[in-house]
Amino acid sequence: MYSEDDYLMISGIQHFLFCRRQWALIHVEKQWADNVLTYEGQQLHTRADEPKLREKRHDLLTTHALKVHSPQLGLSGICDIVEFRQDPEGAKLFGRQKRYQPEAVEYKRGRAKWDLSDTYQLLAQTLCLEEMFSVSINQGWLYYFETNKRQKVVFTAEQREDLKKKVDEMHQYWAKGYTPKVKTGKWCQRCSLKDICLPELLKNRSVPDYFQRRLTE
Ligand code: SF4
């Protein structure tokens, strides 16, 4: 069980999958956290409002901006939307007679990606919901603005295991305060931190070392 101080942000999983160094620059070194996370927060969660249950139909409740966490995985985050569908096998909700099965819905700017970053972010939210509500949840939903499509994502046992391993690796880096060295590739061209990561200059150095050297030159 992790303490709240060691919870890592679910939104960081997409950075970690893209490049471990990018994730560490943002989440471990926190040198660029304000810029990147503030921008992402504005872009992705402009719809967020106070969490409260809303009844859409008699068998469906929705909640926006629900804070979720998992002491077992040491993760926390905010779900864009969680839908609670009436289900006798579902969770007991405060103030409700019936039981409800929760499923996360995550909104994304572009279109479906070739990698698993959106799926793993949704799965991490789902693992938190499972722990918070003591239920098993097989699926979630990704909604892409560009294509205006809502896509069902059914999680596999392999994805669950793989995500847990990656989150474990994130915690190891976090505990050691470790930022992986630069490993350049064509993916660097798409990296929002490429100007500050300085991949060619920093192949064998850390960012603080680099700036220290620049300041003393
Ligand atoms: S520039 Fe390349 S090595 Fe540096 S953080 Fe971005 S993807 Fe990673």
Side-chain angles (χ1 to χ4, degrees):
M1 291 284 184
Y2 289 95
S3 75
E4 274 186 45
D5 290 344
D6 292 323
Y7 285 179
L8 300 175
M9 291 173 69
I10 289 173
S11 59
I13 290 170
Q14 60 180 321
H15 303 133
F16 193 79
L17 291 180
F18 179 72
C19 168
R20 283 157 168 72
R21 178 175 170 80
Q22 190 203 59
W23 172 80
L25 287 173
I26 298 168
H27 297 269
V28 177
E29 296 196 13
K30 296 195 185 296
Q31 299 197 52
W32 329 111
D34 282 350
N35 290 344
V36 177
L37 297 179
T38 304
Y39 175 77
E40 286 185 355
Q42 284 167 352
Q43 293 294 309
L44 294 175
H45 294 290
T46 47
R47 303 163 308 286
D49 53 11
E50 283 302 304
K52 73 181 168 195
L53 279 175
R54 294 173 180 170
E55 196 141 10
K56 277 183 125 180
R57 297 194 303 266
H58 69 282
D59 66 340
L60 179 67
L61 309 170
T62 62
T63 181
H64 294 241
L66 182 70
K67 287 184 181 164
V68 293
H69 66 278
S70 160
Q72 280 184 36
L73 292 172
L75 288 176
S76 66
I78 297 177
C79 292
D80 284 340
I81 288 179
V82 178
E83 293 180 344
F84 294 86
R85 210 168 294 274
Q86 224 177 84
D87 184 334
E89 303 296 317
K92 193 92 184 72
L93 300 184
F94 181 75
R96 302 272 164 179
Q97 297 284 335
K98 305 267 173 61
R99 290 180 173 269
Y100 291 82
Q101 176 72 1
E103 286 177 7
V105 185
E106 178 69 12
Y107 283 72
K108 293 290 175 191
R109 280 196 298 273
R111 52 180 61 225
K113 300 184 185 70
W114 57 269
D115 64 18
L116 284 170
S117 55
D118 292 348
T119 297
Y120 276 18
Q121 186 178 355
L122 187 69
L123 175 55
Q125 293 171 354
T126 299
L127 294 173
C128 291
L129 289 172
E130 286 186 336
E131 200 172 325
M132 289 167 66
F133 292 98
S134 301
V135 288
S136 298
I137 306 169
N138 297 328
Q139 62 186 42
W141 301 87
L142 290 169
Y143 178 89
Y144 292 97
F145 279 113
E146 199 175 315
T147 51
N148 197 22
K149 286 220 169 88
R150 181 173 148 138
Q151 183 176 307
K152 181 161 85 173
V153 182
V154 178
F155 307 115
T156 66
E158 290 75 22
Q159 287 171 347
R160 286 172 182 266
E161 273 316 298
D162 188 41
L163 176 59
K164 285 177 185 171
K165 277 188 199 150
K166 288 191 165 56
V167 172
D168 195 39
E169 196 184 340
M170 288 163 71
H171 274 290
Q172 288 175 32
Y173 291 172
W174 167 259
K176 287 190 229 156
Y178 173 69
T179 301
K181 296 271 184 287
V182 171
K183 194 172 158 194
T184 50
K186 57 179 188 295
W187 54 86
C188 294
Q189 292 309 313
R190 291 188 291 116
C191 176
S192 53
L193 297 189
K194 67 174 183 289
D195 292 335
I196 43 185
C197 166
L198 310 170
E200 294 306 325
L201 288 172
L202 290 174
K203 269 184 183 153
N204 299 306
R205 282 182 264 167
S206 70
V207 172
D209 287 347
Y210 171 78
F211 283 112
Q212 186 64 37
R213 190 179 289 225
R214 287 292 301 270
L215 287 171
T216 53
E217 273 172 4

